[in-house]
Amino acid sequence: MTFPADPPLAGSRGLARSSLLAAVLLTALAPVAEAAPRRAANFDGTWNVVFATRAGNCSPTYNAPFLVQGRRVASAGGGKVTGGITGGGNVAVRISVGASVATGRGRLAGNTGSGYWSGLIQGDRCHGVWQATRG
């Protein structure tokens, strides 16, 4: 894989002006960013999660309902689900059903979400993607 070459530097004068401009903008915007209230999104509710296998000898899809309450993620039926979610929607979970165990990471936004999962499902190593909808 090749990447485009870096553009030539604009000389020390152009670089100094760019650095000064960036510093002025950061200084000017800092109070605005600090003053803005940080509200965590509310992801509470039941989420239907569909897991699609991309590699491994596992079923092509799995469905599981998850329950989000505050910063915790749990099972809404079947299996054991433990995990957490940040105010920005980043989620990490561990799912176990019998001897099968999988972990997943991804992000929720609004009423949808997506990410990646991997695990040992009925003795087979598998991984794939997941999609979630709140409902």
Side-chain angles (χ1 to χ4, degrees), residues 2 6-8 11 14 24-25 29 31 34 42 44 47-48 52 58 72-73 94 99-102 110 123 130 134:
T2 60
D6 289 332
V24 168
L25 286 174
L29 293 176
E34 289 175 12
N42 184 349
D44 288 359
W47 292 76
N48 182 45
C58 296
R72 292 182 28 192
V73 180
R94 182 178 190 276
S100 297
V101 177
W130 59 265
R134 182 167 26 187

Side-chain angles (χ1 to χ4, degrees), residues 31-107:
V32 174
E34 289 175 12
R38 291 188 177 190
R39 284 192 211 159
N42 184 349
F43 299 104
D44 288 359
T46 302
W47 292 76
N48 182 45
V49 184
V50 178
F51 299 88
T53 301
R54 295 291 185 246
N57 189 26
C58 296
S59 295
T61 60
Y62 298 91
N63 294 312
F66 286 13
L67 179 63
V68 175
Q69 291 179 315
R71 296 289 171 254
R72 292 182 28 192
V73 180
S75 175
K80 181 179 180 183
V81 176
T82 57
I85 184 167
T86 68
N90 294 316
V91 63
V93 297
R94 182 178 190 276
I95 306 132
S96 59
V97 178
S100 297
V101 177
T103 59
R105 293 192 172 277
R107 187 161 192 278

